[in-house]
Amino acid sequence: AFSPDGQKVLTASADRTAKLWSTASGECSLTLVGHRDWVSSAAFSPDGQEVLTTSQDRTARLWSTTSGMSLRTFMGHGDSVWFASFAPVA
């Protein structure tokens, strides 16, 4: 997924992380660590300040794109969570 400003790319991986990459340099600028199984999906918030990830570990997590800290973990699914999405700005 591309950030709203086009400056970053967000990837989800079987290595249990999501990563933010610079579109200009191609370098990883931030690694989001915390899921206990592979990350199935990742999406930017409309303002680009947060990222939502989903995982085979049955959770979704909200992250800060500046600090890389997990802000909240959403638990309660009985199986893998497959898709992350934000509502568009009205």
Side-chain angles (χ1 to χ4, degrees):
F2 281 91
S3 62
D5 64 6
Q7 300 291 316
K8 295 181 177 118
V9 172
L10 174 64
T11 58
S13 176
D15 70 3
R16 301 181 293 185
T17 70
K19 292 183 182 274
L20 289 170
W21 306 84
S22 165
T23 55
S25 69
E27 293 184 17
C28 178
S29 57
L30 197 59
T31 300
L32 306 176
V33 178
H35 282 293
R36 296 180 326 219
D37 208 337
W38 63 288
V39 180
S40 52
S41 179
F44 277 101
S45 63
D47 65 5
Q49 297 301 306
E50 295 170 332
V51 164
L52 180 66
T53 58
T54 61
S55 173
Q56 290 267 323
D57 68 7
R58 303 178 184 183
T59 69
R61 286 183 180 249
L62 188 66
W63 308 84
S64 165
T65 58
T66 54
S67 70
M69 298 295 298
S70 178
L71 303 173
R72 180 167 293 156
T73 301
F74 302 94
M75 297 180 283
H77 285 282
D79 207 342
S80 302
V81 185
W82 291 103
F83 189 71
S85 181
F86 279 89
V89 175

